[in-house]
Amino acid sequence: MGGESAIRTAPRSGGTSTSPVGSRTGQRLSGLAVALGIVLFLGGFAWGALQYRPFTVPTSSMSPTIAAGDRVLGQRVDADEIRRGDVVVFNDKQWVTGALVVKRVVAVGGDTVACCTNGRLTVNGKEIDEPYLKGGVVEDKAIPTVKVPEGRLFLLGDERQGSLDSSAHLTDAAQGTVARSAVEARVDAVVWPWKGMLERPTGFGKLGGLSTPGPLNTILALIVVGAVLVLGGGAYGPVAKFFGSRRRVRTEPVGAG
């Protein structure tokens, strides 16, 4: 009878392995990815801790922008960085003792503010478009003309009817205004439940420059990229071992007389 051949698998013996497990370059790149990932991940958290403070909003005075119980991140800013339209966290004992307040800045030192003209807030005689309000227009909230002193702010809640804001303190010595130095942070985003970055208040753009968003998106990107690098680099060894074990088997003929 003619010879027959059978096929069997056998472990590769001798020779130099070309599997990923034996690749020093792959191992080095894996270690580098993990190290870089740790730096980015921890660096992102450290940067965020330096830039932001978490706050819980206790009331619905900023509804619908921020609801009662929402968790927000406030960016630490200097007093001179505050602009019209910013949502800020501040502490003023004339308003409330032992608690922080969250409101929107609608006028700064030197401005003249009043309400309402055609259902809208006016600042320096210009009607302000405020789409973040319920219904898109200011609810009926009578505010006589107020000249904001230098170094102070006039603040309103987005829920204009029920908010105890500057309009509720007009009889105070400062006519409801708050010192810039009382501001603890500028709210950048609502993070729980997640609503993301606050929309820019473009209606105030006709009066001057607006604040630019803080670095929160960049910080989140660093944390995510860092986590991916750590997980990817850490997974290199097990993945390489799995594929390497498959490559180390070969087929060879076995002769039969």
Side-chain angles (χ1 to χ4, degrees):
M1 294 178 61
E4 295 179 346
S5 65
I7 302 297
R8 69 180 178 86
T9 62
R12 185 188 300 274
S13 59
T16 302
S17 173
T18 60
S19 69
V21 173
S23 171
R24 291 184 178 179
T25 300
Q27 292 173 353
R28 288 173 180 171
L29 290 176
S30 167
L32 180 62
V34 171
L36 179 59
I38 291 174
V39 170
L40 293 177
F41 188 81
L42 296 180
F45 272 108
W47 188 13
L50 290 173
Q51 285 285 321
Y52 290 97
R53 288 181 57 190
F55 300 94
T56 300
V57 179
T59 71
S60 60
S61 67
M62 283 299 296
S63 174
T65 306
I66 306 172
D70 280 359
R71 192 79 166 166
V72 302
L73 285 181
Q75 184 185 8
R76 306 170 195 265
V77 295
D78 293 332
D80 58 2
E81 295 181 63
I82 302 165
R83 300 287 184 269
R84 302 177 190 89
D86 288 347
V87 177
V88 297
V89 182
F90 65 94
N91 185 354
D92 191 310
K93 295 180 180 179
Q94 297 296 322
W95 288 40
V96 61
T97 301
L100 296 173
V101 183
V102 181
K103 303 293 179 187
R104 187 182 296 272
V105 177
V106 297
V108 298
D111 287 345
T112 299
V113 59
C115 189
C116 298
T117 300
N118 299 320
R120 296 191 179 194
L121 182 78
T122 62
V123 180
N124 300 336
K126 296 180 179 176
E127 297 179 19
I128 305 300
D129 182 24
E130 299 181 273
Y132 43 78
L133 300 181
K134 291 180 178 178
V137 296
V138 176
E139 289 87 350
D140 186 15
K141 189 180 189 85
I143 302 175
T145 300
V146 175
K147 179 76 172 181
V148 182
E150 291 296 336
R152 300 189 71 85
L153 308 168
F154 197 89
L155 307 104
L156 298 176
D158 285 359
E159 203 294 281
R160 295 288 160 88
Q161 285 183 327
S163 175
L164 296 177
D165 46 36
S166 288
S167 66
H169 294 270
L170 293 174
T171 58
D172 295 351
Q175 288 189 282
T177 63
V178 172
R180 280 180 175 268
S181 58
V183 174
E184 303 257 338
R186 180 176 58 208
V187 177
D188 215 10
V190 180
V191 295
W192 187 262
W194 178 259
K195 296 179 183 177
M197 303 289 286
L198 296 188
E199 294 183 9
R200 308 320 297 164
T202 55
F204 291 92
K206 64 182 74 174
L207 299 172
L210 303 175
S211 296
T212 57
L216 181 59
N217 284 336
T218 302
I219 290 171
L220 291 177
L222 289 177
I223 293 172
V224 171
V225 171
V228 170
L229 287 174
V230 170
L231 294 175
Y236 171 81
V239 172
K241 183 177 181 180
F242 172 76
F243 284 104
S245 64
R246 297 185 63 182
R247 291 181 182 181
R248 283 196 295 269
V249 298
R250 64 182 177 86
T251 60
E252 61 180 20
V254 178

